[in-house]
Amino acid sequence: MKIQAYLKQITALIFYFFFATVQITAQETDRDIQSAIHLLDYLSKDYSAAISDGEVIDEAEYTEMLEFSQKIVDLAQGIGMETKTKDSVMADIGRLRSLVLAKAPHRQVKIVAESTKWVIINATGYEVSPLIWPDQTNGKELYAQSCFQCHGPKGDGNGSMAAGLIPEPTNFLDSTSMASLSPLGAFNTIKLGVEGTSMRAFSELTDQEAWDLAFYIKSLRFQNEETEVASLQKVFDQEKARFSLKEVATLSDDELSNKIGSVPDAGKKLRALRIIAPIGHSSSLAVARDHLHQAMNSYMDGDKGAARQHALIAYLEGIEPVEVRLKANDPKFTSQLEQKMMDVRQTIEAGTSTDMVQAKISSALTTIDAAEQKMADQQLNYWLSFFLAASIMLREGLEAFLIIALILALIRNTEGAKKALPYVHGGWMAAVLVGIAGWFLSDWIIGISGQNREAMEGAISLVAVIVLVFVGFWLHDHSHTKKWKDFVEKRIGDQLRGKNMIGLGVFSFMVVFREAFESILFLQAIGLETPSGERSSIGFGVLAAFALIAVLVFIFVRFSKKIPVRQLFRYSSWVITLLAVILIGKGIHAIQEAGWLSVTGFSFFPRIDWLGIYPTTETLLAQVLLLCLLLLLYHFSNSKNRVVHVN
């Protein structure tokens, strides 16, 4: 049995080291991409301040352009892309560097910088737009907290701390400079800062907060124009059908104006796109719609891979963030919505006709409209947020509690095994502490893509399944009379001594950590939908759930002492078998949602989330195979122990 314990520990350690390495690498890569995009934007916009007619007009600015053009070369070398694409990108960046050295006209530099930026974005799949439409009211508050001292209360660059700053703070009311700046450029400047200037990086802001601030900054030069908001809202509602959130976020005012064209009220349309947001814009469902439309466009263009990726993002970043709230309102409807989103992905993967894909996407869009109506009918107030937070923690906590309480009951009923208690308690307590720390670091967790979040959940579930298989087999094996007698006589022996007890601690940690991680994601989703003044409801909801779980743990542990231990072992092995089957279903499903595993669905098969049953070949096959494996192990154990009993 020591081999099994070592395998449990090695599996857990491999998982943690692997995932930590992947996440650190992913973070570094994303930052390199963001920095390269930021510098290309900066070069495209500010080069004209350094060079005019082939002459240097500002030595400091030109020195900065030279430095930044070289830094772009260095950053691009570390960005992962297909070989052919990377060679092309490096050639373009080399050309850009040569243009800067040659003091070429601004227009040439701008064309190369812009085209290279978009090649990098498309090649890496880097997300360059906010998940939901930015909240400019929050942006205004953030501006008052962090920006007005230098940029001034009105954004004219004449703040109380502006005197003596070189270069001078940007004047956000200046049409000439601001017309060429996109919200994406402002976002990158906020997050990364500008080296060699007083503009520091505001890394403490979440991505969504930085987008709120960037959109507010871009709106400042339009704020003084007098137009009724109702009139602008009407114009915006017409224009948003033509412009996606991604376009509004990544295009400068000049580029937006070019796309609007020379039409009546073109200026009013630009202003509407800069200062108005969709009604109900806080919902990520707008992201789902946008990416479904892009999926259809990509599929019609023959790019199946891009269509699949857009369909995946539509679910991960559009549907999943509001899933908890929808489930609280109508669980059956939520399952239907998830199934329709999966149908879209499955149809695209199957390479069916354009008409079939269009039909599936139209059906999904209709269901999304219904989802938005359900959410509009039930706004998140204090008590609804409290109820949702408490429900989430109770559900996730009870899943972990069933296993931990079972282990504690077994140990408390076993003479000589109580020395294992500190390891079990230490494991789940460590997971709770990591969960609490994770809440404060949840901006980073939310910042990783929905794809990686699902992959992490799936990996944790599968590791937990491996551990549960060992535990379930061990419990079943020791439910036989002679085995149990030997077990008691040896006072647990090697099973709960030395590194095997550490294995119990690792298992205890894994069980709780998975639920803590999932809880953070759901609670953050509720936090995004809850007014800032009422977010204490989330904390009180979590505390209420903890209190109820503590009561249930106390009752279970106290009364489990009266249960015969041998029977408890036998029943527990079957309970753990059920949990393993549930978890492998959830794990495979999460990996499918991350897009790492294909989806082959059954429209007629039921979906039962709490049992980990999903209408796909992959999840059902994994559950059947695991169940067969466990039954074979139990049969082998029974046969072996019958022989021992006869002898």
Side-chain angles (χ1 to χ4, degrees):
M1 297 303 289
K2 282 186 177 181
I3 294 175
Q4 293 179 356
Y6 291 142
L7 284 172
K8 285 189 285 185
Q9 295 163 38
I10 290 169
T11 301
L13 288 172
I14 288 173
F15 165 72
Y16 281 117
F17 282 122
F18 169 77
F19 189 79
T21 302
V22 169
Q23 283 304 313
I24 290 170
T25 303
Q27 273 192 308
E28 290 176 350
T29 301
D30 282 355
R31 189 168 183 84
D32 285 348
I33 297 169
Q34 185 182 18
S35 296
I37 293 169
H38 176 45
L39 291 176
L40 285 165
D41 258 339
Y42 194 83
L43 207 65
S44 173
K45 176 178 175 292
D46 282 20
Y47 181 79
S48 60
I51 299 294
S52 179
D53 297 327
E55 298 293 332
V56 176
I57 57 175
D58 188 319
E59 194 65 44
E61 284 283 350
Y62 183 61
T63 301
E64 193 175 65
M65 295 297 112
L66 290 172
E67 178 190 349
F68 288 171
S69 62
Q70 180 57 51
K71 192 165 185 178
I72 293 168
V73 174
D74 298 336
L75 287 168
Q77 288 173 343
I79 297 174
M81 291 177 276
E82 292 182 359
T83 303
K84 185 176 180 181
T85 304
K86 187 158 186 174
D87 290 344
S88 175
V89 167
M90 294 308 299
D92 287 341
I93 292 174
R95 182 181 166 211
L96 179 65
R97 171 76 173 164
S98 299
L99 289 172
V100 175
L101 288 169
K103 305 180 183 63
H106 177 220
R107 179 173 174 77
Q108 292 182 25
V109 171
K110 181 180 177 64
I111 290 172
V112 176
E114 285 291 320
S115 63
T116 305
K117 177 185 75 174
W118 283 107
V119 170
I120 292 174
I121 289 170
N122 293 328
T124 59
Y126 184 74
E127 190 57 57
V128 291
S129 63
L131 297 179
I132 59 177
W133 205 281
D135 182 353
Q136 292 192 31
T137 301
N138 186 48
K140 184 177 182 179
E141 293 177 3
L142 292 169
Y143 183 88
Q145 294 170 14
S146 306
C147 309
F148 83 95
Q149 297 93 336
C150 295
H151 295 279
K154 296 181 180 180
D156 56 6
N158 292 320
S160 58
M161 297 176 61
L165 293 181
I166 300 176
E168 296 178 350
T170 300
N171 177 3
F172 298 133
L173 306 183
D174 180 55
S175 298
T176 303
S177 61
M178 292 302 293
S180 60
L181 176 68
S182 68
L184 173 62
F187 170 85
N188 285 330
T189 300
I190 291 166
K191 292 291 284 186
L192 300 174
V194 180
E195 290 184 21
T197 73
S198 57
M199 178 58 197
R200 71 173 182 86
F202 286 86
S203 54
E204 69 272 17
L205 297 180
T206 67
D207 282 357
Q208 193 59 45
E209 286 173 335
W211 279 115
D212 291 346
L213 183 53
F215 267 58
Y216 175 71
I217 287 170
K218 282 295 299 174
S219 75
L220 282 173
R221 73 186 187 96
F222 298 100
Q223 297 287 354
N224 294 328
E225 299 177 23
E226 294 184 3
T227 308
E228 290 184 6
V229 174
S231 175
L232 283 176
Q233 185 70 57
K234 185 176 180 180
V235 172
F236 176 84
D237 290 340
Q238 295 170 347
E239 292 303 304
K240 75 174 182 180
R242 295 179 55 206
F243 294 96
S244 66
L245 174 56
K246 183 175 183 178
E247 288 177 306
V248 177
T250 57
L251 297 179
S252 68
D253 296 344
D254 287 340
E255 290 166 330
L256 270 179
S257 295
N258 288 336
K259 291 204 72 170
I260 291 170
S262 300
V263 295
D265 294 331
K268 188 175 181 179
K269 291 180 178 181
L270 174 62
R271 185 178 178 226
L273 289 170
R274 284 297 180 227
I275 70 174
I276 301 294
I279 297 173
H281 66 276
S282 61
S283 171
S284 62
L285 294 176
V287 177
R289 285 196 194 89
D290 186 46
H291 280 283
L292 284 178
H293 286 304
Q294 292 184 59
M296 189 66 245
N297 292 336
S298 296
Y299 198 79
M300 291 176 69
D301 291 340
D303 192 343
K304 178 181 170 183
R308 180 181 180 277
Q309 187 65 17
H310 281 303
L312 187 62
I313 294 172
Y315 172 74
L316 293 172
E317 309 296 358
I319 304 301
E320 196 179 52
V322 297
E323 190 176 49
V324 176
R325 185 174 167 189
L326 284 170
K327 276 186 177 179
N329 203 6
D330 191 337
K332 184 177 180 180
F333 172 82
T334 308
S335 295
Q336 292 173 354
L337 175 58
E338 290 176 353
Q339 186 59 49
K340 286 184 182 294
M341 297 299 290
M342 185 172 285
D343 288 345
V344 171
R345 301 199 299 276
Q346 186 179 347
T347 306
I348 290 172
E349 287 178 1
T352 56
S353 67
T354 302
D355 289 342
M356 179 64 74
V357 174
Q358 176 71 67
K360 293 294 184 182
I361 288 178
S362 296
S363 178
L365 288 170
T366 300
T367 311
I368 288 172
D369 290 339
E372 192 163 61
Q373 185 59 51
K374 286 179 179 291
M375 292 177 64
D377 292 342
Q378 189 177 27
Q379 295 297 318
L380 280 187
N381 55 35
Y382 187 93
W383 289 110
L384 181 55
S385 295
F386 173 90
F387 171 75
L388 287 175
S391 299
I392 288 166
M393 282 308 306
L394 189 61
R395 187 192 71 184
E396 304 296 336
L398 283 176
E399 286 188 27
F401 153 70
L402 286 173
I403 302 176
I404 300 300
L406 182 61
I407 294 173
L408 291 174
L410 294 174
I411 291 173
R412 291 182 186 280
N413 279 282
T414 305
E415 183 183 355
K418 292 184 179 179
K419 63 180 68 178
L421 283 173
Y423 291 88
V424 177
H425 285 307
W428 71 259
M429 287 179 180
V432 170
L433 290 176
V434 171
I436 293 171
W439 173 255
F440 292 103
L441 296 173
S442 56
D443 292 334
W444 170 78
I445 295 175
I446 296 299
I448 66 177
S449 69
Q451 187 174 23
N452 287 338
R453 292 198 301 267
E454 290 291 346
M456 182 177 183
E457 284 191 33
I460 293 172
S461 294
L462 295 182
V463 171
V465 168
I466 294 170
V467 178
L468 282 172
V469 169
F470 284 120
V471 173
F473 177 70
W474 183 85
L475 286 172
H476 183 85
D477 200 41
H478 285 78
S479 66
H480 299 279
T481 304
K482 187 177 187 306
K483 281 291 183 76
W484 175 239
K485 183 175 179 295
D486 293 342
F487 178 69
V488 173
E489 287 176 353
K490 292 180 180 180
R491 298 171 58 115
I492 309 306
D494 293 335
Q495 307 301 330
L496 292 170
R497 279 208 304 265
K499 292 187 176 180
N500 284 347
M501 286 193 283
I502 294 175
L504 280 175
V506 171
F507 174 56
S508 175
F509 177 88
M510 288 291 298
V511 168
V512 177
F513 175 69
R514 181 192 182 280
E515 309 306 333
F517 176 78
E518 194 170 275
S519 298
I520 289 170
L521 299 182
F522 284 136
L523 291 175
Q524 270 284 359
I526 292 175
L528 289 174
E529 300 283 338
T530 303
S532 57
E534 298 183 351
R535 288 177 184 166
S536 61
S537 59
I538 298 174
F540 285 120
V542 170
L543 291 176
F546 278 158
L548 183 55
I549 291 170
V551 171
L552 292 173
V553 170
F554 173 78
I555 294 172
F556 183 91
V557 172
R558 181 170 182 176
F559 287 98
S560 64
K561 293 180 181 179
K562 298 180 180 180
I563 302 174
V565 178
R566 189 170 67 85
Q567 283 81 358
L568 183 62
F569 267 43
R570 177 167 293 176
Y571 299 145
S572 299
S573 69
W574 290 108
V575 170
I576 286 178
T577 297
L578 177 61
L579 288 171
V581 171
I582 291 171
L583 279 179
I584 198 169
K586 287 179 175 287
I588 297 297
H589 180 66
I591 291 173
Q592 284 180 315
E593 289 182 334
W596 289 14
L597 190 64
S598 62
V599 178
T600 308
F602 297 106
S603 58
F604 58 87
F605 203 86
R607 174 188 174 119
I608 311 174
D609 288 281
W610 64 278
L611 282 177
I613 295 175
Y614 302 94
T616 73
T617 301
E618 293 78 10
T619 53
L620 293 172
L621 183 61
Q623 288 178 314
V624 170
L625 290 176
L626 177 64
L627 185 58
C628 290
L629 172 64
L630 287 169
L631 290 175
L632 283 172
L633 289 174
Y634 293 166
H635 176 73
F636 170 75
S637 173
N638 290 335
S639 300
K640 182 181 66 174
N641 281 284
R642 276 198 297 269
V643 172
V644 171
H645 183 70
V646 170
N647 292 338

